[in-house]
Amino acid sequence: MDSALQVLMNRRSVRSFESKQISEEELNQIVSAGLQAATALGSQSWYLTVVQDQQFLKEISEATASALYDSEVPSLQERSRQANFSPFHNAPTVIFVSSTDSLYSIADCANACQNMTLAATALNLGSCYIGSFVQGLKHPKGRDLVKKFELPEGYSPLFAVAIGTVKGELPPLKSREWKVNYIR
Ligand SMILES: Cc1cc2nc3c(=O)[nH]c(=O)nc-3n(C[C@H](O)[C@H](O)[C@H](O)COP(=O)(O)O)c2cc1C
């Protein structure tokens, strides 16, 4: 199989990371891959924020734990009470992708995230696409944290990609339904 296809077929969400930081070269390759994604009308309606400040990630994690707790959904409340709870699975690097409210910005941001997870896979790093932290940034405990992103006017954090060295065994690939129709 072509190596690009091998990377595509090998990507999976990793939720257990070593605390060791990724290299600057790996980070630059992953960010470049994100910025190489397709965007509607070439608008690049995204803004990337690389966070390696563990204290900042902890603050977002605590706000997310509060949001999960306040959801009153028992399974989410149980997650929020886990020791060392982190919506980023304690990855050493988290790349946040912020969107605008333009029509295709969500798609642009999603494409950047997917490219970054594929780049991480190609570099033998683990990665996980993350959406749950947004609840934390909307929670009263997290609202002020958005300012720390220093985003340009009109952008809000939408997705993130957690990245690091895989701790332990790679999780198995999840199977897919062949949800495909052929009209020939
Ligand atoms: C938009 C989006 C948001 C996601 N948010 C989370 C999340 O908050 N936490 C998490 O652990 N995984 C999250 N995931 C990862 C999915 O759970 C994962 O891709 C799915 O279960 C399929 O598993 P795989 O990636 O290993 O193939 C998200 C994926 C997408 C596309």
Side-chain angles (χ1 to χ4, degrees), residues 26-163:
E26 288 166 332
L27 177 62
N28 286 335
Q29 285 176 298
I30 292 167
V31 168
S32 302
L35 298 177
Q36 198 57 38
T39 59
L41 301 167
S43 60
Q44 302 179 43
S45 64
W46 53 40
Y47 198 87
L48 272 52
T49 308
V50 176
V51 180
Q52 294 181 321
D53 175 345
Q54 302 309 308
Q55 180 56 33
F56 186 32
L57 293 176
K58 192 166 171 239
E59 286 164 9
I60 302 171
S61 297
E62 285 169 359
T64 306
S66 299
L68 295 186
Y69 188 80
D70 290 355
S71 70
E72 293 178 12
V73 177
S75 60
L76 297 181
Q77 287 185 323
E78 197 183 316
R79 264 194 77 199
S80 75
R81 281 196 293 257
Q82 280 167 2
N84 270 340
F85 166 78
S86 158
F88 314 112
H89 309 292
N90 295 298
T93 292
V94 181
I95 306 178
F96 291 86
V97 181
S98 297
S99 66
T100 67
D101 59 6
S102 67
L103 183 59
Y104 294 117
S105 187
I106 295 175
D108 291 354
C109 291
N111 292 348
C113 289
Q114 180 69 1
N115 268 18
M116 292 194 284
T117 62
L118 292 172
T121 307
L123 293 166
N124 284 320
L125 293 168
S127 65
C128 191
Y129 206 126
I130 309 288
S132 58
F133 72 93
V134 174
Q135 302 167 63
L137 295 180
K138 288 184 176 157
H139 188 270
K141 277 199 184 156
R143 271 182 215 138
D144 282 350
L145 296 173
V146 179
K147 291 182 200 136
K148 287 200 188 179
F149 281 82
E150 298 174 349
L151 292 169
E153 185 69 30
Y155 284 86
S156 330
L158 179 65
F159 302 130
V161 179
I163 301 161

